[in-house]
Amino acid sequence: MLKCESMNLFYGEVQALWDVNLEVKEGEIVALLGANAAGKSTTINAISGLEKLSSGKILFEGTEIQKKDPHEIVEMGIVQVPEGRKLFSYMTIEENLELGAYSKRARANFKQNLETVFELFPILKERRKQLAGSMSGGQQQMCAVARGLMGNPKFLMIDELSLGLAPLVVKQLFEVLTQISKRGITILLVEQNVKQSLAIANSAFVLKNGRLALSGKASEVANDPTLHQAYLGK
Amino acid sequence: MGEIIQVLISGILVGGIYALISMGLNLILGVVRIINFAHGEFLMLAMYLSFFLYSVWGLDPYVSALLVVLILFVFGLFIQRIIIQPILNTSATVKIFVTLGLSIALQNFALMLWRADFRSVHTAYQTAVINVGTVAVSIPRLIAFIVAIIVALGMYLFLNKTLVGKAIRAVAMEKRAAALMGINVKRIYLLAFAIGSAIVGLAGALLIPIYYVFPTVGTLFVLISFVVVVLGGMGSMLGAFLGGIIIGLVEAIAGVVIAPGLKEAVYFIIFILVLLFRPSGLFSLGKGSEEVGLK
Ligand SMILES: Nc1ncnc2c1ncn2[C@@H]1O[C@H](COP(=O)(O)OP(=O)(O)OP(=O)(O)O)[C@@H](O)[C@H]1O
Ligand SMILES: [Mg+2]
């Protein structure tokens, strides 16, 4: 479904990605792991078109997308739930969800997706008139995931789903991920929470200092000593 | 007593014009994140346009207002696309110099074409008043004020009730997240800049029946609208509206109580006090000054 070929990316003079290759097959949950500043967010921002590669290719269902604008990429069915949630905090939950469905491909399925989202997160339905910024961290993360789902994705990328959340909420969100996956949405999960992500993932990629350090089936990656090295830094 | 009321009413009515100019400036600032130092020159161009439509074609300013608004909208699109968009990712200094340069260029363009003469239209109604007791209310000023209220309400409805309006606010709040929703951020910038220009165009059309036009007329008003924007809160439409009215009042009162010549001094004292004690403005929601929309 998604294939990244030797991606190189610079922030000014500083190279953040070095020849990174990545592949995601349809229907999978793929974990993208790595320590702080490894380049995980940079990778998915490149896929979303927010950052541009200096060289390399990103193919989605066979089409090159590395030169496209973010909104065009969303129209193709690639949706990102960004790190730190980035909700529209002075708007209500309902308005956030409405904006999640801004793209043409999403607007067509608005009603159906809204039902699905409210089924997955009943609390959002209850609080739909509340300002997004006024909710707890866990509810905000639910809203962020829900807003992503409103985009009617084929391929959903989630950056730091569990960051700063209570274990119980994290467990709930991971369960929702499995349900989303069962609905046929392919998922790329960026996480610091290695154990829990590898438990639900089919395969995994591990970044270290902007380079791919390890990749393979989730079960193999979980037992590879390179994984632990990647988290211990150099 | 009647005199005081007279002063207050003229102040509020003039405040309507300040409000319009400032709403345009603030929409652009809040969404595109650029201080358009040429905003006053947009006002000047709108006033000349209105003036020439009157003196050449005999079109009444209130009739030609729609045309002026439309032309300024297109002019805004053009400026955003050709001049602003290429510099959006540069430093603040570059942005300041580019819009300041545009301002100077437009002033000199006007000076070259139309010379430094003060021009004004002479309509039958320009001195017309409604008498309420001992208070005389100027009709062109009243019209300007009423239109300002209508525009403020219209902007409120547009920004809060329509999907495009919400997209504009989304871009103002979280630009990158907005892009991730499938919003074409560049197009929203174009739209916001064009609407901001159209609003200042409308202010120009409403101003020509009560004021002169000359090449540097914009600097006069744009200074006031900077004060209004700082007072009301950067990016806030409600702040720009109420801030405009407040400055209109302050100016009128200062003119009587202190001295007409010192009213600029009074603005700048307000400007500095707000920056010192409440830098996010009176009507911002506090956190940053990020909100665009009447909330
Ligand atoms: N906008 C930017 N400008 C300059 N450098 C950046 C920018 N964003 C990220 N970087 C740098 O690129 C490198 C990779 O950052 P990135 O955010 O992709 O890491 P990450 O793996 O997502 O880390 P984290 O777990 O902390 O989110 C870091 O060294 C970071 O400092
Ligand atoms: Mg990150």
Side-chain angles (χ1 to χ4, degrees), chain A residues 11-12 14-17 34-43 45 51 83 159-160 190 192 207 210, chain B residues 176:
Chain A
Y11 289 113
V14 183
Q15 187 157 5
L17 295 182
N36 280 325
K40 307 180 295 292
S41 299
T42 303
T43 301
N45 284 338
E51 305 294 347
E83 188 175 352
D159 201 347
E160 310 274 15
V190 169
Q192 301 268 2
L207 289 173
Chain B
R176 281 163 74 92

Side-chain angles (χ1 to χ4, degrees), chain A residues 169-185:
Chain A
V169 181
V170 174
K171 190 163 167 264
Q172 205 182 337
L173 282 166
F174 270 90
E175 271 161 22
V176 168
L177 275 198
T178 333
Q179 288 183 45
I180 295 172
S181 170
K182 280 193 191 128
R183 287 171 190 264
I185 297 173

